[in-house]
Amino acid sequence: MSKSVEYYLSKGFDQKAAEYFAAGRRKISSVSANDDYTLTILFDNGERRLLDVKAFIREGSVFGVLSDKSTFRRVYLDDSRSISWDIDPDVDSNEVLENKIDLCPDSCYMDSIPIPEK
């Protein structure tokens, strides 16, 4: 059973997060990288959204390696349907967890914007 927006607000969630969780969590169906460091994400409800990753990509941060466009383009969905990148594509991130950068579906949905239907 779904909880109300008021329930999530009472637990300290902000309005945006409370509305998202009250409406039901989304799962990612597919992801593709764009040349401008954005991601086009398709969610399980059929909604396409655009996530701008540029703000995360700062030298010295875990996302810094994504400044290389070839690394950024290697985006994929992992087994938990999180958006992921392997820092070194020759290392199995299921065995070496420090090799993987990932974004959870919840934050991807809340931080992205809808792509209008054509």
Side-chain angles (χ1 to χ4, degrees):
M1 186 166 140
S2 168
K3 294 183 170 60
S4 69
V5 171
E6 292 75 23
Y7 169 82
Y8 289 106
L9 289 172
S10 75
K11 297 297 181 187
F13 287 65
D14 66 20
Q15 185 71 34
K16 186 176 183 179
E19 290 171 2
Y20 167 77
F21 283 103
R25 298 174 72 182
R26 305 273 33 114
K27 293 181 183 172
I28 298 174
S29 299
S30 68
V31 62
S32 60
N34 303 310
D35 287 336
D36 61 352
Y37 292 102
T38 61
L39 299 172
T40 300
I41 308 169
L42 177 64
F43 287 88
D44 60 344
N45 62 350
E47 188 175 0
R48 287 174 21 105
R49 296 178 70 91
L50 191 68
L51 178 66
D52 189 347
V53 183
K54 287 187 292 291
F56 302 143
I57 302 173
R58 291 185 304 276
E59 189 173 327
S61 76
V62 69
F63 294 99
V65 298
L66 299 180
S67 65
D68 176 67
K69 282 198 178 183
S70 64
T71 302
F72 182 75
R73 286 186 193 111
R74 289 195 319 258
V75 67
Y76 67 95
L77 293 179
D78 68 11
D79 294 339
S80 67
R81 310 302 286 172
S82 294
I83 291 176
S84 303
W85 294 268
D86 293 332
I87 297 168
D88 181 342
D90 298 323
V91 174
D92 184 350
S93 289
N94 290 321
E95 293 186 23
V96 181
L97 299 178
E98 296 84 16
N99 189 55
K100 183 164 80 171
I101 301 167
D102 60 355
L103 300 170
C104 80
D106 299 328
S107 63
C108 288
Y109 189 89
M110 288 185 283
D111 293 339
S112 62
I113 58 170
I115 298 173
E117 294 287 326
K118 293 181 181 179

